[in-house]
Amino acid sequence: MATSEVQNFYKNKYIFLTGGTGFLGVAIIDKILRSVPEIGGIYLLMRPKKGKSIQERLQDLTKNSVFEQLLETQSADIFKKLIPVSGDVGENFLGLSQEDQARIVENTNVVIHSAATLDFQATLRPTVNINLLGTKRVLELCTRIKNLKSMVHVSSAYVNSYLTEAEEKLYPCTETSQKVIDLVDTLNDSALEELLPKLLKDHPNAYTFTKQLAEHEVNKHAAQFPCAIIRPSMITGAWKEPTPGWTISKNGPQGFLMGASKGVIRRLPVGVDLVYDYIPVDAVVNQTLVLGWYMGTNSFRELKVFHCTTSTSNPFKWRSVMDQMNDYLHKYPLKSAIWYPRLKFVSSLWVYKLASLFVHILPALVLDFVLRVTGGRPMLMRLHTNVWDSLNRLEKFIFTEWKYHNPATQQLSQALRETDKGLFNFNVSQLQWPEYFVSLTQGVRRYLNNEQPKSLDAARRKDKILFVVDLVFQVLIFSLFGWLLASLFGSSCSSFWLYGGISYLLFNQL
C-alpha cells in the first residue's frame, strides 16, 4: 500500500485542540489515535468542573463510546498521548498557566479550534466571550507558537444563513469585532438585549453572528501562518467511523429519532421535499485533519475556506426515507419504549402544534400522572414543552432550504492519494442516505438509548405487545369520540361508529 501523506505529516507532531470534550472533539481525538498512533501528543484544553480535576475529566473522556473500536486494536496506553491542560476559551490567555503556555508554544505544530457555544438561544455576552473572544485568544496563542504548521478553525455553514446560497469565501460583516466587544464591555444585559436585533440584522441569532465575526479574526492572521476555515452544516451521526451510526449528540435527526423510538415523538415538522444539509461527523473529522496537513504542507499565506456540506454534492430530502422510517424503528425497536412508535411528517409548524395537542401533550399529561402515582419522575410534559419552545427558535432552520457550494472541498478530496482517500474519506457523494438512516437508527438505539444489540429480540417482543396496546387504545379513544359526538348531535347510539370512523379519518390528517 502506498504511504499516506496525511499520516506522515502528523507523525511525531503535537496538536493543540479546543472543544475536545464535545461531539466533534472526541471524534477528532479518536480518529487521530486510531489513524496516527505515532502522533507526538494532543494538548487538550479542559476546564475543571463539577468538582472534578482535569485528570478526572480525562479519565471520564477515555470511557466515551467513541473509543470502543480504538481499544480493540490498541491498549489503554494509547491515551498517554492525551495531554490535558487546564484552561477555558472564555478566560484571558485561555486560562492557561505560564507553564502550560510555555509547553504549547514550544511543542505545538497544528492547532484545531473546535470550541464554541452552540446554543441558538444564548444571549450576546456569552456568545461574544466564547465564539469571538475565544477565537481571538486562540489566535493570539498561535502567534507565539514557534513551529506552527497550520491552524484549522471549525466554523459553521450557517454563519451566512441570511443567504440561501453561499460560496466558500469570507462574506463581509455588518459590524466590526471591536465594536461588538466594546458594547459587551460597556452595556448591561438589558441594554444588550434591547440592542441585539439592530446588531443581528439578518442573522437569526447571536450564534451565527459571533461565529461570522470570529471568521474575520482568523482572516487577520492568515498572512502570519496557514489558516483554514471549515464550515460544517448540521453534524450528524457517523457514516463509517468509528462505527456506522455512532453518535453522542441529540441535535438534529438523531434527537428526533431518539424520541420517536421511545414512542413519545410522533410528529416531525419538516418540508419533505426541501433539501436538508446534514453532514456525518466522520466526514467533518477527516476533512479537518486533511486541512491541517494541506495547509501545513503548502504554507499558504491567505485564508482558505471549505464547506463540509451535502446540499449541493449529495442533497438529502426527507421524502427519500419518509416511507421507511417507521420500518426502521420497528426493525430496531427499544426495550425501553414507552409507546408504540409511529412517526409522521407534517409540513408546517402550526399543523405540528395542532397535532401535538393530541399525540404529544394529552398522552404526556396522562403518562406523567401515572408516573407520579407509581412513584416515578414525570418528564414527558417537560420534554414536549422544551421541544415546543425550541421549534419556535428553529423554525427558520426547519423550513428554509440552503445551498452551500463546495467545489474547494470536492477538489481537495479528489486531489488526495488513493491511500488517503480511504483513510481520511470525506467524499460524501458516495453516501447512500437510506442506508445511512438505517445505521443512524441503530446508532441512536445503541449510543443514545444505551441498548445493546443482545436486547433486540426482547425489544421486538415488546414492540409487538405495544402494537396491540396501541390498537386497542385507538379503538377505545375513537369509540369514545364517536359516542360523545353522537350524544352531542342527538343521533342514535348506533351512529357512534360512524362518528368514531370520521374522527379517526380527520385525526389522521394531522
Side-chain angles (χ1 to χ4, degrees):
M1 181 184 287
T3 58
S4 163
E5 292 182 305
V6 179
Q7 278 182 326
N8 287 338
F9 171 78
Y10 282 106
K11 280 181 183 178
N12 301 316
K13 287 190 170 59
Y14 283 80
I15 297 172
F16 176 66
L17 174 66
T18 70
T21 58
F23 178 38
L24 177 61
V26 294
I28 289 173
I29 295 168
D30 168 69
K31 177 65 178 183
I32 294 169
L33 296 182
R34 275 191 298 110
S35 298
V36 196
E38 301 91 345
I39 190 81
I42 306 171
Y43 291 109
L44 296 179
L45 185 70
M46 304 178 78
R47 66 177 187 273
K49 67 175 187 178
K50 295 180 181 176
K52 289 187 176 182
S53 68
I54 57 169
Q55 288 294 342
E56 290 173 317
R57 289 198 68 198
L58 180 63
Q59 283 300 312
D60 290 343
L61 179 74
T62 60
K63 297 171 185 173
N64 194 293
S65 59
V66 74
F67 299 118
E68 289 176 355
Q69 298 297 114
L70 169 70
L71 293 174
E72 288 182 4
T73 57
Q74 297 277 354
S75 76
D77 288 345
I78 191 70
F79 293 127
K80 292 177 181 178
K81 300 284 186 175
L82 306 182
I83 309 164
V85 289
S86 182
D88 187 341
V89 294
E91 297 179 10
N92 289 334
F93 302 106
L94 300 175
L96 291 167
S97 67
Q98 291 291 335
E99 181 184 355
D100 284 338
Q101 287 185 54
R103 283 198 296 165
I104 293 165
V105 166
E106 187 67 33
N107 299 323
T108 298
N109 308 110
V110 177
V111 171
I112 299 174
H113 178 40
S114 173
T117 176
L118 305 176
D119 186 357
F120 281 13
Q121 198 178 7
T123 57
L124 193 62
R125 194 179 305 280
T127 52
V128 165
N129 187 39
I130 302 299
N131 296 345
L132 175 54
L133 285 171
T135 302
K136 283 175 68 72
R137 292 165 186 142
V138 170
L139 290 164
E140 189 278 330
L141 180 65
C142 287
T143 62
R144 296 157 51 203
I145 293 174
K146 294 181 178 179
N147 190 23
L148 182 63
K149 300 295 183 183
S150 59
M151 185 271 184
V152 182
H153 173 70
V154 181
S155 185
S156 168
Y158 299 105
V159 295
N160 303 304
S161 55
Y162 52 87
L163 302 170
T164 54
E165 290 195 45
E167 307 287 343
E168 293 167 301
K169 67 179 184 180
L170 200 64
Y171 285 86
C173 290
T174 55
E175 302 290 351
T176 66
S177 296
Q178 195 57 51
K179 176 185 173 181
V180 174
I181 292 167
D182 290 342
L183 287 170
V184 169
D185 284 342
T186 55
L187 298 180
N188 60 32
D189 289 346
S190 59
L192 278 177
E193 187 175 351
E194 185 179 344
L195 182 63
L196 185 59
K198 295 178 183 176
L199 288 174
L200 294 185
K201 294 184 172 63
D202 293 329
H203 278 278
N205 51 49
Y207 166 77
T208 65
F209 177 64
T210 53
K211 289 290 282 184
Q212 187 187 51
L213 290 171
E215 288 193 350
H216 283 260
E217 291 304 309
V218 177
N219 187 46
K220 290 176 184 177
H221 294 272
Q224 295 174 265
F225 46 82
C227 296
I229 290 174
I230 180 171
R231 290 178 183 156
S233 52
M234 168 61 73
I235 303 178
T236 56
W239 172 22
K240 295 180 179 180
E241 299 178 81
T243 187
W246 173 83
T247 182
I248 56 170
S249 169
K250 297 176 184 177
N251 294 328
Q254 49 247 350
F256 288 125
L257 284 174
M258 183 181 181
S261 60
K262 288 277 191 183
V264 297
I265 299 293
R266 306 179 72 80
R267 295 294 184 271
L268 182 61
V270 293
V272 294
D273 291 311
L274 292 178
V275 171
Y276 286 82
D277 205 313
Y278 299 139
I279 187 74
V281 63
D282 44 334
V284 185
V285 168
N286 287 336
Q287 187 171 349
T288 299
L289 294 176
V290 167
L291 285 175
W293 157 79
Y294 177 68
M295 300 302 293
T297 52
N298 287 283
S299 300
F300 292 110
R301 286 298 184 264
E302 60 179 13
L303 183 69
K304 299 291 183 181
V305 180
F306 299 83
H307 281 162
C308 190
T309 53
T310 58
S311 52
T312 56
S313 52
N314 189 357
F316 168 75
K317 295 182 180 181
W318 276 103
R319 184 171 293 283
S320 67
V321 297
M322 181 175 67
D323 295 333
Q324 293 83 37
M325 283 311 305
N326 284 301
D327 293 337
Y328 301 161
L329 293 173
H330 296 300
K331 188 174 182 181
Y332 305 103
L334 295 182
K335 193 177 178 183
S336 59
I338 296 171
W339 202 258
Y340 184 72
R342 185 178 282 115
L343 185 63
K344 186 176 179 180
F345 298 82
V346 293
S347 58
S348 73
L349 209 52
W350 77 266
V351 173
Y352 169 81
K353 289 185 174 182
L354 180 61
S356 280
L357 291 174
F358 297 98
V359 301
H360 292 157
I361 305 302
L362 290 176
L365 288 170
V366 173
L367 289 169
D368 275 358
F369 174 75
V370 172
L371 285 168
R372 283 192 185 93
V373 171
T374 57
R377 186 167 62 93
M379 56 183 176
L380 293 177
M381 268 306 297
R382 186 173 70 251
L383 180 146
H384 287 301
T385 300
N386 291 339
V387 170
W388 193 295
D389 292 341
S390 68
L391 288 174
N392 289 325
R393 298 192 303 272
L394 297 173
E395 184 172 9
K396 176 183 174 66
F397 294 91
I398 295 171
F399 294 109
T400 303
E401 181 177 289
W402 284 279
K403 288 184 179 178
Y404 294 116
H405 300 283
N406 60 355
T409 289
Q410 293 186 54
Q411 289 166 16
L412 179 61
S413 174
Q414 293 304 316
L416 292 176
R417 285 185 179 181
E418 289 302 315
T419 303
D420 284 322
K421 285 180 182 178
L423 284 172
F424 298 92
N425 180 31
F426 55 93
N427 180 6
V428 291
S429 65
Q430 304 165 348
L431 186 152
Q432 299 296 316
W433 288 109
E435 293 176 10
Y436 173 74
F437 270 85
V438 172
S439 297
L440 191 60
T441 304
Q442 293 173 272
V444 166
R445 182 183 193 276
R446 167 68 180 84
Y447 300 105
L448 294 187
N449 287 301
N450 297 312
E451 298 205 5
Q452 299 289 341
K454 64 183 179 182
S455 69
L456 196 53
D457 287 341
R460 285 171 177 161
R461 288 193 295 270
K462 181 176 180 179
D463 191 59
K464 291 175 182 177
I465 294 170
L466 289 177
F467 171 74
V468 174
V469 172
D470 183 60
L471 192 62
V472 171
F473 179 79
Q474 288 191 62
V475 170
L476 290 174
I477 199 73
F478 287 111
S479 296
L480 177 62
F481 267 110
W483 178 79
L484 289 172
L485 290 171
S487 301
L488 182 66
F489 293 116
S491 304
S492 63
C493 290
S494 60
S495 300
F496 85 91
W497 291 110
L498 174 63
Y499 288 122
I502 292 172
S503 300
Y504 174 79
L505 292 173
L506 289 174
F507 177 78
N508 275 279
Q509 297 306 307
L510 294 176

